[in-house]
mmCIF file of all heavy atoms in Angstrom:
data_model
loop_
_atom_site.group_PDB
_atom_site.id
_atom_site.type_symbol
_atom_site.label_atom_id
_atom_site.label_comp_id
_atom_site.label_asym_id
_atom_site.label_seq_id
_atom_site.Cartn_x
_atom_site.Cartn_y
_atom_site.Cartn_z
ATOM 1 N N LEU A 68 111.900 81.649 96.504
ATOM 2 C CA LEU A 68 113.190 81.099 96.094
ATOM 3 C C LEU A 68 113.346 79.657 96.553
ATOM 4 O O LEU A 68 112.857 79.273 97.615
ATOM 5 C CB LEU A 68 114.328 81.944 96.656
ATOM 6 C CG LEU A 68 114.392 83.373 96.138
ATOM 7 C CD1 LEU A 68 115.514 84.132 96.834
ATOM 8 C CD2 LEU A 68 114.585 83.409 94.645
ATOM 9 N N THR A 69 114.031 78.888 95.757
ATOM 10 C CA THR A 69 114.296 77.493 96.106
ATOM 11 C C THR A 69 115.350 77.428 97.219
ATOM 12 O O THR A 69 116.107 78.384 97.424
ATOM 13 C CB THR A 69 114.831 76.714 94.886
ATOM 14 O OG1 THR A 69 116.117 77.240 94.536
ATOM 15 C CG2 THR A 69 113.880 76.803 93.705
ATOM 16 N N PRO A 70 115.430 76.302 97.914
ATOM 17 C CA PRO A 70 116.469 76.147 98.938
ATOM 18 C C PRO A 70 117.889 76.252 98.368
ATOM 19 O O PRO A 70 118.809 76.622 99.082
ATOM 20 C CB PRO A 70 116.201 74.759 99.516
ATOM 21 C CG PRO A 70 114.759 74.528 99.270
ATOM 22 C CD PRO A 70 114.474 75.200 97.957
ATOM 23 N N ASN A 71 118.067 75.923 97.093
ATOM 24 C CA ASN A 71 119.390 76.098 96.484
ATOM 25 C C ASN A 71 119.734 77.567 96.331
ATOM 26 O O ASN A 71 120.883 77.973 96.502
ATOM 27 C CB ASN A 71 119.461 75.407 95.124
ATOM 28 C CG ASN A 71 119.544 73.902 95.254
ATOM 29 O OD1 ASN A 71 119.955 73.384 96.281
ATOM 30 N ND2 ASN A 71 119.126 73.212 94.217
ATOM 31 N N ALA A 72 118.740 78.368 95.967
ATOM 32 C CA ALA A 72 118.981 79.795 95.773
ATOM 33 C C ALA A 72 119.101 80.533 97.102
ATOM 34 O O ALA A 72 119.871 81.485 97.220
ATOM 35 C CB ALA A 72 117.850 80.408 94.946
ATOM 36 N N LEU A 73 118.327 80.091 98.083
ATOM 37 C CA LEU A 73 118.360 80.719 99.406
ATOM 38 C C LEU A 73 118.244 79.617 100.455
ATOM 39 O O LEU A 73 117.147 79.169 100.785
ATOM 40 C CB LEU A 73 117.212 81.723 99.559
ATOM 41 C CG LEU A 73 117.230 82.560 100.827
ATOM 42 C CD1 LEU A 73 118.443 83.508 100.829
ATOM 43 C CD2 LEU A 73 115.948 83.349 100.968
ATOM 44 N N PRO A 74 119.380 79.161 100.978
ATOM 45 C CA PRO A 74 119.370 78.057 101.942
ATOM 46 C C PRO A 74 118.541 78.384 103.187
ATOM 47 O O PRO A 74 118.398 79.546 103.566
ATOM 48 C CB PRO A 74 120.848 77.888 102.304
ATOM 49 C CG PRO A 74 121.596 78.500 101.180
ATOM 50 C CD PRO A 74 120.729 79.612 100.670
ATOM 51 N N PHE A 75 118.002 77.346 103.791
ATOM 52 C CA PHE A 75 117.168 77.527 104.980
ATOM 53 C C PHE A 75 117.933 78.209 106.111
ATOM 54 O O PHE A 75 117.344 78.962 106.888
ATOM 55 C CB PHE A 75 116.606 76.182 105.450
ATOM 56 C CG PHE A 75 115.565 75.634 104.520
ATOM 57 C CD1 PHE A 75 115.798 74.468 103.821
ATOM 58 C CD2 PHE A 75 114.358 76.291 104.335
ATOM 59 C CE1 PHE A 75 114.845 73.964 102.952
ATOM 60 C CE2 PHE A 75 113.402 75.795 103.476
ATOM 61 C CZ PHE A 75 113.636 74.624 102.775
ATOM 62 N N GLU A 76 119.235 77.965 106.187
ATOM 63 C CA GLU A 76 120.037 78.598 107.236
ATOM 64 C C GLU A 76 120.016 80.119 107.093
ATOM 65 O O GLU A 76 119.981 80.849 108.085
ATOM 66 C CB GLU A 76 121.490 78.104 107.193
ATOM 67 C CG GLU A 76 121.657 76.630 107.443
ATOM 68 C CD GLU A 76 121.385 75.768 106.201
ATOM 69 O OE1 GLU A 76 121.530 76.258 105.070
ATOM 70 O OE2 GLU A 76 121.007 74.603 106.383
ATOM 71 N N VAL A 77 120.033 80.606 105.865
ATOM 72 C CA VAL A 77 120.007 82.053 105.620
ATOM 73 C C VAL A 77 118.642 82.614 106.015
ATOM 74 O O VAL A 77 118.551 83.674 106.641
ATOM 75 C CB VAL A 77 120.325 82.366 104.140
ATOM 76 C CG1 VAL A 77 120.163 83.846 103.838
ATOM 77 C CG2 VAL A 77 121.720 81.880 103.786
ATOM 78 N N ARG A 78 117.579 81.895 105.688
ATOM 79 C CA ARG A 78 116.222 82.313 106.058
ATOM 80 C C ARG A 78 116.094 82.388 107.581
ATOM 81 O O ARG A 78 115.542 83.358 108.125
ATOM 82 C CB ARG A 78 115.187 81.328 105.515
ATOM 83 C CG ARG A 78 115.177 81.216 104.018
ATOM 84 C CD ARG A 78 114.388 79.986 103.586
ATOM 85 N NE ARG A 78 114.750 79.569 102.252
ATOM 86 C CZ ARG A 78 113.940 79.616 101.216
ATOM 87 N NH1 ARG A 78 112.702 80.031 101.353
ATOM 88 N NH2 ARG A 78 114.359 79.231 100.034
ATOM 89 N N GLU A 79 116.591 81.361 108.252
ATOM 90 C CA GLU A 79 116.516 81.322 109.711
ATOM 91 C C GLU A 79 117.314 82.459 110.332
ATOM 92 O O GLU A 79 116.870 83.078 111.305
ATOM 93 C CB GLU A 79 117.000 79.971 110.232
ATOM 94 C CG GLU A 79 116.056 78.838 109.906
ATOM 95 C CD GLU A 79 116.636 77.476 110.231
ATOM 96 O OE1 GLU A 79 117.813 77.377 110.628
ATOM 97 O OE2 GLU A 79 115.887 76.485 110.073
ATOM 98 N N GLU A 80 118.485 82.722 109.800
ATOM 99 C CA GLU A 80 119.319 83.810 110.312
ATOM 100 C C GLU A 80 118.609 85.153 110.151
ATOM 101 O O GLU A 80 118.646 85.999 111.039
ATOM 102 C CB GLU A 80 120.674 83.837 109.610
ATOM 103 C CG GLU A 80 121.587 84.943 110.084
ATOM 104 C CD GLU A 80 121.928 84.850 111.555
ATOM 105 O OE1 GLU A 80 121.975 83.738 112.103
ATOM 106 O OE2 GLU A 80 122.156 85.917 112.175
ATOM 107 N N PHE A 81 117.936 85.352 109.023
ATOM 108 C CA PHE A 81 117.174 86.580 108.805
ATOM 109 C C PHE A 81 116.096 86.713 109.892
ATOM 110 O O PHE A 81 115.963 87.772 110.511
ATOM 111 C CB PHE A 81 116.540 86.608 107.423
ATOM 112 C CG PHE A 81 115.598 87.753 107.225
ATOM 113 C CD1 PHE A 81 116.072 89.030 107.015
ATOM 114 C CD2 PHE A 81 114.223 87.551 107.280
ATOM 115 C CE1 PHE A 81 115.206 90.094 106.860
ATOM 116 C CE2 PHE A 81 113.342 88.604 107.123
ATOM 117 C CZ PHE A 81 113.843 89.880 106.898
ATOM 118 N N CYS A 82 115.339 85.654 110.108
ATOM 119 C CA CYS A 82 114.273 85.704 111.103
ATOM 120 C C CYS A 82 114.826 85.938 112.502
ATOM 121 O O CYS A 82 114.242 86.718 113.280
ATOM 122 C CB CYS A 82 113.429 84.431 111.053
ATOM 123 S SG CYS A 82 112.435 84.300 109.548
ATOM 124 N N ARG A 83 115.939 85.307 112.848
ATOM 125 C CA ARG A 83 116.546 85.529 114.168
ATOM 126 C C ARG A 83 117.016 86.965 114.312
ATOM 127 O O ARG A 83 116.935 87.535 115.397
ATOM 128 C CB ARG A 83 117.727 84.580 114.362
ATOM 129 C CG ARG A 83 117.329 83.206 114.856
ATOM 130 C CD ARG A 83 118.542 82.428 115.354
ATOM 131 N NE ARG A 83 119.554 82.224 114.341
ATOM 132 C CZ ARG A 83 119.597 81.190 113.497
ATOM 133 N NH1 ARG A 83 118.679 80.254 113.559
ATOM 134 N NH2 ARG A 83 120.550 81.091 112.598
ATOM 135 N N SER A 84 117.497 87.561 113.234
ATOM 136 C CA SER A 84 118.010 88.930 113.331
ATOM 137 C C SER A 84 116.894 89.952 113.552
ATOM 138 O O SER A 84 117.146 91.036 114.059
ATOM 139 C CB SER A 84 118.814 89.282 112.086
ATOM 140 O OG SER A 84 117.936 89.460 110.962
ATOM 141 N N ILE A 85 115.668 89.594 113.177
ATOM 142 C CA ILE A 85 114.544 90.500 113.351
ATOM 143 C C ILE A 85 114.042 90.491 114.780
ATOM 144 O O ILE A 85 113.661 91.502 115.337
ATOM 145 C CB ILE A 85 113.379 90.115 112.386
ATOM 146 C CG1 ILE A 85 113.824 90.235 110.933
ATOM 147 C CG2 ILE A 85 112.141 90.936 112.651
ATOM 148 C CD1 ILE A 85 114.217 91.622 110.504
ATOM 149 N N TYR A 86 114.049 89.312 115.395
ATOM 150 C CA TYR A 86 113.497 89.189 116.758
ATOM 151 C C TYR A 86 114.545 89.431 117.753
ATOM 152 O O TYR A 86 115.284 89.324 118.311
ATOM 153 C CB TYR A 86 112.840 87.821 116.951
ATOM 154 C CG TYR A 86 111.623 87.663 116.077
ATOM 155 C CD1 TYR A 86 111.637 86.811 114.981
ATOM 156 C CD2 TYR A 86 110.482 88.391 116.337
ATOM 157 C CE1 TYR A 86 110.508 86.668 114.192
ATOM 158 C CE2 TYR A 86 109.360 88.257 115.538
ATOM 159 C CZ TYR A 86 109.381 87.390 114.473
ATOM 160 O OH TYR A 86 108.281 87.267 113.676
#
Side-chain angles (χ1 to χ4, degrees):
L68 296 177
T69 66
N71 286 337
L73 187 66
F75 289 115
E76 298 81 25
V77 174
R78 299 166 201 247
E79 290 171 355
E80 180 61 30
F81 172 76
C82 291
R83 276 194 300 271
S84 72
I85 298 298
Y86 294 109

